[in-house]
Amino acid sequence: MGADGHDKKKGWSNWSGNQTAEPQHIARPRDMDDLKAAITRAAGPVRVVGAGHSFTPLAATDGTLIKLDGMGLVHSVDQTAKRAWVNAGARLKYLSPELERYGLAFRNLGDINEQSLAGAISTATHGTGAGLSCLSAEVTALKLMTASGELLTISRERDSDAFDAARVSLGALGVIVEAEVQLVDSYRLHRLTWAEPLDALIGHAQSRWKTRRNYEFFYIPFSGYGISIAHEETKNKPTPRPPQDDDEAVLGLKRARDYAEDDVAGRREFLKAAFESFEGEDVIGNSWQLLASQRNVRFNEMEYHLPVKKGLSALSDVIAIIEKKHPDVFFPIEVRRTGGDDIWLSPFNDGGRISIAVHAYHEDSYDFFFSDIEPILRKAGGRPHWGKLHSLDYRSLSDLYPEFVTFSKVRNRLDPEGRFLTPYLKTLFGVKGTR
Ligand SMILES: Cc1cc2nc3c(=O)[nH]c(=O)nc-3n(C[C@H](O)[C@H](O)[C@H](O)COP(=O)(O)OP(=O)(O)OC[C@H]3O[C@@H](n4cnc5c(N)ncnc54)[C@H](O)[C@@H]3O)c2cc1C
């Protein structure tokens, strides 16, 4: 490694393996000077990567890839305000136990906690809960190093335009070095999971979102059944949790698919029997340990966030087309709800939304996402998850986001030379030229 923290050229691939790149340099800065050197002097385009868990080519570059995981964990904690400044490149799975030492926790988390904080906020990563916003909405201030190497501290009070843009910014404004996050007191959750037929899931979903802290469900294609997961806050003592078997369950669905081939009726009977003997979970534990799961069976994913009134009917259409045309699909379809916020590029900035996520095994084709699923989700007024597969470009995105043009102006102010722009980013922001 060179004095500025650069590795020689090495290949890069994201978590699922559907995005690869050959960056000339991988920079692992240890301090602000290293970072400034990588941003201002190393080969462009410059991209910063967290855990590489996005399915879109957001982090891919043949220039310089920056990784911030060597820049620390929790920098300072204000226990009265329940806020902490943390290394934005730190992984959520390391931040949660560290914050617990201060009696603090993230208000909510997504399905996993492998992501870096900056990667998660940059794509509006969310969990589920009608009253719970995406992680980006918990950010109260940011330190952002721009293309010129200037370190800006931004918040609602200081450069509010940059702040409104940066909280969901796809690494297009600069490198988020540190983030101040609003936390809550550490809390325990009571987790319940159970199986139900699809019509009950759809029929109860809205009322469950109204009454439960966290509620989501997974519909299992070709089964007529799904699994609900609910969490409520509790002061009761933790209970032992049996080992997690989500990966084994997904591989079981794959085996059912492989064995049944085109015998959809046989597959449905087999899965129905399995659901009738499903044993759910009923456990109490720390919030971050129960909210985040392990996902070791690799997949690719499309997720759209839909207006609350349209989400469940779009879900029925998605299920119908998968079960009519795509017997290869076996991964559960995930359905969640997230509260609204005011961030320019947050998919939730005009109110809470229902999210529908469709997955394909990493060795299987995901062309059907674009041919059959995306048209349904777009017709229902959906906005894509920034880190998950979609086909939208500047024209369609600027129709979906009232502040998209304003965001692009801030991007142009902070990075006038397009140092952070790859060809993919240019398609998103309507910038001409291939480099
Ligand atoms: C198994 C799995 C489960 C998932 N579960 C959920 C879920 O429950 N909810 C959900 O909403 N999403 C989920 N996702 C998607 C994931 O949360 C997002 O794609 C997230 O952006 C990944 O974080 P990351 O650290 O890997 O970021 P990366 O994918 O590495 O980067 C994402 C974006 O952030 C930018 N970025 C990273 N670090 C910085 C920085 N320091 N400064 C500026 N920009 C930066 C990158 O340039 C890129 O544009 C899941 C993905 C996988 C693979």
Side-chain angles (χ1 to χ4, degrees):
M1 192 181 289
D4 57 357
H6 288 187
D7 274 349
K8 290 212 177 77
K9 180 169 172 170
K10 281 204 186 99
W12 173 82
S13 138
N14 67 341
W15 176 83
S16 77
N18 74 326
Q19 305 295 343
T20 56
E22 292 283 336
Q24 288 182 47
H25 292 295
I26 295 183
R28 287 195 172 80
R30 285 154 302 198
D31 55 35
M32 296 295 177
D33 290 338
D34 280 356
L35 178 61
K36 185 171 178 175
I39 292 179
T40 58
R41 295 211 298 272
V46 176
R47 297 299 297 156
V48 56
V49 69
H53 272 51
S54 295
F55 302 92
T56 40
L58 281 172
T61 178
D62 56 11
T64 296
L65 192 62
I66 299 179
K67 298 186 174 183
L68 292 182
D69 33 11
M71 304 265 289
L73 207 52
V74 174
H75 296 314
S76 65
V77 176
D78 176 342
Q79 281 185 299
T80 313
K82 302 188 178 92
R83 289 180 180 182
W85 275 102
V86 303
N87 168 20
R91 304 283 193 101
L92 297 172
K93 67 178 175 186
Y94 301 130
L95 286 171
S96 283
E98 187 63 14
L99 292 167
E100 193 173 276
R101 286 162 25 99
Y102 298 92
L104 297 170
F106 290 105
R107 196 188 312 268
N108 202 15
L109 287 169
D111 271 359
I112 58 162
N113 58 6
E114 292 292 326
Q115 308 94 325
S116 66
L117 177 68
I121 64 177
S122 297
T123 62
T125 290
H126 63 104
T128 192
L132 299 166
S133 303
C134 69
L135 262 173
S136 324
E138 302 292 357
V139 171
T140 47
L142 290 170
K143 291 187 184 169
L144 177 79
M145 194 174 278
T146 64
S148 64
E150 189 185 359
L151 187 65
L152 304 179
T153 301
I154 55 177
S155 64
R156 204 174 290 286
E157 295 76 35
R158 291 174 73 172
D159 199 345
S160 65
D161 274 7
F163 185 63
D164 285 339
R167 283 177 289 160
V168 177
S169 53
L170 319 177
L173 302 187
V175 176
I176 300 171
V177 193
E178 292 177 25
E180 188 193 48
V181 195
Q182 181 65 58
L183 302 159
V184 296
D185 289 324
S186 296
Y187 58 101
R188 281 189 208 128
L189 290 172
H190 181 190
R191 173 185 177 88
L192 285 173
T193 68
W194 67 95
E196 257 173 334
L198 177 62
D199 52 359
L201 289 169
I202 291 185
H204 293 306
Q206 298 286 19
S207 65
R208 287 174 181 161
W209 277 314
K210 279 202 184 95
T211 54
R212 310 265 182 165
R213 182 186 197 276
N214 305 93
Y215 175 73
E216 68 178 301
F217 64 91
F218 287 90
Y219 174 68
I220 312 300
F222 302 96
S223 79
Y225 278 75
I227 310 283
S228 283
I229 304 178
H231 292 112
E232 291 301 339
E233 240 178 288
T234 179
K235 301 270 182 235
N236 292 340
K237 287 200 176 126
T239 57
R241 191 177 186 199
Q244 295 306 284
D245 60 359
D246 287 8
D247 292 336
E248 188 41 45
V250 168
L251 291 173
L253 295 175
K254 179 174 183 300
R255 284 194 292 275
R257 186 251 348 228
D258 294 347
Y259 184 77
E261 295 184 343
D262 289 337
D263 179 9
V264 167
R267 182 171 165 191
R268 194 177 291 276
E269 276 309 300
F270 172 80
L271 292 173
K272 183 166 183 266
F275 277 107
E276 278 163 5
S277 59
F278 178 84
E279 282 184 29
E281 278 190 280
D282 182 350
V283 290
I284 293 174
N286 280 347
S287 58
W288 58 275
Q289 283 165 321
L290 289 185
L291 289 170
S293 307
Q294 295 285 323
R295 297 274 180 264
N296 297 312
V297 181
R298 304 212 168 209
F299 54 79
N300 287 301
E301 181 175 350
M302 169 177 280
E303 182 177 53
Y304 265 69
H305 310 295
L306 294 95
V308 170
K309 285 197 175 134
K310 305 236 173 123
L312 294 173
S313 65
L315 172 68
S316 300
D317 294 345
V318 165
I319 292 171
I321 203 153
I322 287 178
E323 295 195 346
K324 183 167 166 210
K325 288 180 62 182
H326 300 290
D328 271 358
V329 177
F330 64 88
F331 258 92
I333 299 170
E334 187 171 17
V335 186
R336 293 182 275 186
R337 185 155 168 197
T338 299
D341 60 54
D342 61 355
I343 306 167
W344 289 349
L345 292 198
S346 165
F348 314 101
N349 68 6
D350 56 358
R353 287 188 170 232
I354 290 178
S355 305
I356 298 180
V358 178
H359 309 75
Y361 186 53
H362 70 116
E363 289 176 357
D364 292 347
S365 164
Y366 53 77
D367 291 350
F368 75 100
F369 288 177
F370 301 104
S371 59
D372 287 339
I373 307 300
E374 193 173 42
I376 295 172
L377 301 177
R378 286 196 64 189
K379 194 167 165 221
R383 290 168 162 176
H385 188 305
W386 290 109
K388 302 189 185 179
L389 292 159
H390 68 86
S391 67
L392 304 196
D393 60 9
Y394 180 72
R395 188 187 289 246
S396 36
L397 290 166
S398 42
D399 283 346
L400 282 181
Y401 286 94
E403 300 295 348
F404 206 80
V405 172
T406 328
F407 177 95
S408 300
K409 285 183 186 153
V410 172
R411 194 210 60 71
N412 201 41
R413 162 164 72 93
L414 298 178
D415 183 18
E417 307 290 323
R419 189 117 174 95
F420 294 106
L421 291 184
T422 56
Y424 175 67
L425 270 282
K426 287 183 180 183
T427 66
L428 299 183
F429 295 113
V431 178
K432 298 220 163 39
T434 52
R435 291 222 38 124

